[in-house]
């Protein structure tokens, strides 16, 4: 499968990629800013995620929440998300509303600050705090998103701190702090714009120039602190968390090669062999045969700087304690390292990943997001067209070598959730 692609850069630094597909009368507009929680400085965490909210609060020409209203009234869908290395905003609209989506994205990139007020900041700060209470602090196992990177990266590392930010840092954020963060990172030379779906190329280019061309480039971004870390953790550490949960859950993490490297593809396939869906080793052993887990999975975080994380997780069945669950997961990891991976397992894993990838590329929104991902993290949108051949080139021996190099006892972190002492387990 080869996606049609055309990439070019505006004089202000905005990287634009067009991917035409006239199979359905919809078009996706996808904008990735190369800023995430890794770009936040100590004492000012949570800013990237806060801006995921602030950018929907209006600009010089768009009222608060009007962005949502205009797109939904046009029959489209939209949202945004934040991760350690990026923030993305995206709309999918009927084809004839392409200019509306482009204008809305350009207007908040170029004209957000004149409309930013203390009232909007205070409102969205409260929204984010409530989101933190709901999705992290009071959600069963919800703190794993910040506990695991804190265990896997040293305190001075940009991936160490919480993506959603601390309550103290969010409370301390001033309007000047927020404005400076926006001026630094939400600029055309720090962004990738992808248009995918049903559009005319010449018309789209003219619209991009019309709406994004006048926005000035930024004045430069501070360099990230050093991201390199040793290849492995150098040992096996463990944190046990008593929480308001009904059943034990284990997150077993390993440091792994960064996204896009040859060893990454072997790691990604290894995760599929170990814990992707019902044919995986963990599912067969822990869920079907031993009946000690109710669900399992394994995946990579796809981090592109310093080191990636390979994570296997499992939730205990009622009656299974944390030690039994962890021993069962570790036994399967050790068995995979000792016995190696079979050719038929690799073929299954490749088929799963290829099916997922091809299915995702059938939708304009997912296609645009994948293109923006490669352009932002690796600097080359065309790499989206090389993924399947890179997976196909990986052998069972490559995956076995990955497992033996990266999944050993010298490279493990266990984060174990157990029911709070005194709480009764409910079958």
């Amino acid at each position: 499968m080869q996606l049609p692609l055309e990439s070019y850069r505006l004089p202000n630094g905005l990287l634009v990629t067009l991917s035409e597909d006239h199979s359905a009368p919809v078009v996706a507009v996808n904008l990735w800013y190369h800023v995430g929680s890794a770009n936040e400085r100590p004492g000012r965490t949570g800013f990237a995620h806060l801006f995921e909210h602030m950018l929907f609060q209006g600009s010089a020409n768009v009222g608060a929440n009007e962005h949502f209203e205009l797109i939904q009234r046009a029959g489209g869908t939209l949202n945004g998300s934040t991760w350690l290395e990026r923030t993305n905003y995206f709309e999918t609209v009927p084809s004839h509303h392409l200019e509306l989506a482009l204008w809305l994205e350009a207007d908040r990139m170029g004209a957000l600050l004149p409309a930013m007020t203390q009232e909007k900041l205070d409102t969205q700060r409260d929204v984010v705090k409530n989101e933190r209470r709901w999705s992290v602090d009071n959600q069963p196992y919800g703190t794993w998103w910040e506990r695991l990177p804190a265990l896997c990266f040293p305190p001075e590392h940009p991936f160490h701190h919480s993506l959603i930010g601390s309550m103290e840092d969010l409370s301390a954020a001033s309007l000047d702090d927020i404005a400076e963060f926006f001026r630094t990172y939400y600029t055309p030379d720090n962004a990738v714009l992808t248009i995918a779906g049903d559009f005319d190329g010449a018309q789209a280019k003219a619209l991009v120039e019309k709406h994004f061309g006048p926005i000035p480039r930024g004045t430069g971004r501070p360099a990230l602190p050093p991201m390199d870390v040793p290849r492995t953790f150098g040992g096996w550490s463990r944190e046990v968390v008593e929480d308001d949960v009904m059943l034990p859950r284990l997150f077993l993490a390993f440091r792994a090669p960064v996204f896009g490297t040859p060893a990454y593809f072997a790691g990604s396939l290894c995760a599929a062999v170990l814990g992707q869906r019902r044919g995986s080793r963990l599912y067969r052993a822990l869920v079907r045969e031993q009946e000690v887990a109710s669900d399992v999975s394994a995946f990579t975080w796809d981090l592109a700087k310093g080191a990636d994380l390979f994570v296997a997780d499992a939730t205990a069945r009622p009656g299974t304690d944390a030690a039994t669950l962890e021993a069962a997961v570790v036994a399967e990891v050790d068995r995979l390292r000792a016995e190696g991976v079979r050719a038929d397992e690799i073929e299954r894993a490749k088929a799963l990943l290829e099916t997922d990838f091809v299915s995702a590329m059938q939708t304009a929104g997912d296609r645009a997001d994948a293109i923006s991902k490669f352009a932002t993290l690796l600097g080359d949108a065309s790499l989206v067209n090389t993924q399947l051949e890179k997976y196909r080139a990986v052998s069972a021996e490559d995956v076995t070598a990955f497992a033996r190099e990266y999944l050993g006892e010298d490279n493990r972190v266990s984060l174990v959730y157990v029911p709070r002492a005194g709480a009764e387990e409910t079958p």
Side-chain angles (χ1 to χ4, degrees):
M1 185 182 69
Q2 290 290 304
L3 301 177
L5 297 174
E6 181 181 1
S7 295
Y8 63 100
R9 202 177 282 277
L10 295 186
N12 61 13
L14 179 68
L15 179 59
V16 182
T17 298
L18 308 178
S19 180
E20 285 190 55
D21 173 12
H22 301 285
S23 59
V26 296
V27 63
V29 171
N30 185 292
L31 192 63
W32 273 44
Y33 290 99
H34 204 165
V35 56
S37 60
N39 299 92
E40 298 159 354
R41 57 190 174 89
R44 291 292 182 269
T45 63
F47 279 24
H49 177 253
L50 180 60
F51 261 104
E52 181 192 322
H53 292 255
M54 291 297 292
L55 261 68
F56 287 108
Q57 295 310 302
S59 54
N61 304 297
V62 178
N65 295 314
E66 194 176 5
H67 192 126
F68 265 99
E69 294 172 9
L70 289 170
I71 292 296
Q72 290 174 339
R73 205 178 298 155
T77 58
L78 73 162
N79 215 329
S81 71
T82 311
W83 185 229
L84 281 67
E85 298 182 280
R86 56 80 182 152
T87 304
N88 62 350
Y89 298 91
F90 43 91
E91 296 92 358
T92 299
V93 294
S95 305
H96 61 287
H97 285 301
L98 171 61
E99 184 168 12
L100 172 65
L102 289 172
W103 172 68
L104 287 168
E105 288 294 355
D107 192 65
R108 60 184 176 183
M109 178 190 283
L112 183 86
L113 287 182
M116 189 180 294
T117 65
Q118 186 66 47
E119 181 182 7
K120 289 180 180 177
L121 172 59
D122 291 342
T123 299
Q124 290 311 305
R125 179 169 24 215
D126 288 343
V127 170
V128 171
K129 286 182 176 180
N130 281 332
E131 182 178 342
R132 182 187 167 87
R133 295 183 187 98
W134 174 77
S135 64
V136 178
D137 298 328
N138 297 312
Q139 180 79 10
Y141 318 105
T143 58
W144 86 273
W145 285 105
E146 56 186 10
R147 288 184 182 275
L148 196 65
L151 285 170
C152 293
F153 295 99
E156 67 277 10
H157 195 282
F159 290 156
H160 174 86
H161 69 267
S162 168
L163 188 154
I164 200 167
S166 71
M167 289 295 197
E168 292 77 14
D169 289 355
L170 290 169
S171 296
S174 71
L175 195 59
D176 287 343
D177 290 333
I178 295 296
E180 182 58 28
F181 194 78
F182 181 82
R183 276 192 292 266
T184 302
Y185 294 107
Y186 297 80
T187 60
D189 51 320
N190 196 39
V192 170
L193 172 67
T194 300
I195 303 173
D198 180 36
F199 63 89
D200 176 79
Q203 181 189 38
K205 286 181 181 178
L207 292 173
V208 170
E209 175 60 35
K210 173 184 175 183
H211 294 294
F212 287 91
I215 303 173
R217 65 169 57 237
T219 56
R221 303 174 299 280
L224 283 166
M227 304 287 281
D228 290 338
V229 290
R231 184 183 59 79
T232 69
F233 295 124
W236 189 349
S237 60
R238 172 185 284 100
E239 179 175 304
V240 178
V241 180
E242 284 193 1
D243 203 357
D244 296 321
V245 297
M246 306 298 288
L247 299 165
R249 179 176 292 178
L250 166 72
F251 297 90
L252 183 62
F254 310 83
R255 200 167 272 168
V258 294
F259 174 70
T261 58
Y264 161 82
F265 292 95
S268 181
L269 283 166
C270 187
V273 169
L274 187 65
Q276 188 169 345
R277 301 185 191 165
R278 298 190 171 197
S280 67
R281 288 191 175 209
L282 286 176
Y283 192 91
R284 290 200 313 270
L286 274 66
V287 178
R288 288 182 177 171
E289 297 169 7
Q290 300 171 38
E291 299 184 348
V292 297
S294 57
D295 62 67
V296 297
S297 68
F299 49 89
T300 59
W301 277 25
D302 293 2
L303 300 173
K305 300 181 184 70
D308 196 8
L309 292 181
F310 179 111
V311 180
D313 70 69
T315 304
R317 278 200 180 185
T320 300
D321 61 31
T324 301
L325 179 70
E326 183 175 15
V329 173
V330 168
E332 284 307 310
V333 172
D334 288 341
R335 184 173 297 116
L336 187 150
R337 296 182 71 240
E339 298 174 355
V341 178
R342 301 189 309 273
D344 65 296
E345 291 179 304
I346 291 298
E347 291 309 308
R348 169 194 166 273
K350 289 179 180 178
L352 285 177
L353 294 175
E354 182 166 347
T355 299
D356 288 348
F357 183 81
V358 171
S359 297
M361 294 306 99
Q362 304 308 306
T363 68
D366 285 350
R367 192 181 322 144
D369 204 55
I371 293 168
S372 290
K373 177 179 181 179
F374 288 101
T376 301
L377 299 182
L378 302 180
D380 185 356
S382 71
L383 290 175
V384 71
N385 282 329
T386 68
Q387 298 309 291
L388 295 182
E389 63 187 72
K390 288 180 178 176
Y391 277 118
R392 290 170 186 149
V394 177
S395 67
E397 290 74 20
D398 294 331
V399 176
T400 298
F402 168 87
R404 289 173 178 165
E405 182 171 0
Y406 289 99
L407 305 187
E409 291 192 19
D410 65 338
N411 188 33
R412 294 178 182 175
V413 166
S414 291
L415 175 63
V416 186
Y417 283 82
V418 297
R420 200 178 297 281
E424 292 186 4
E425 185 177 298
T426 300

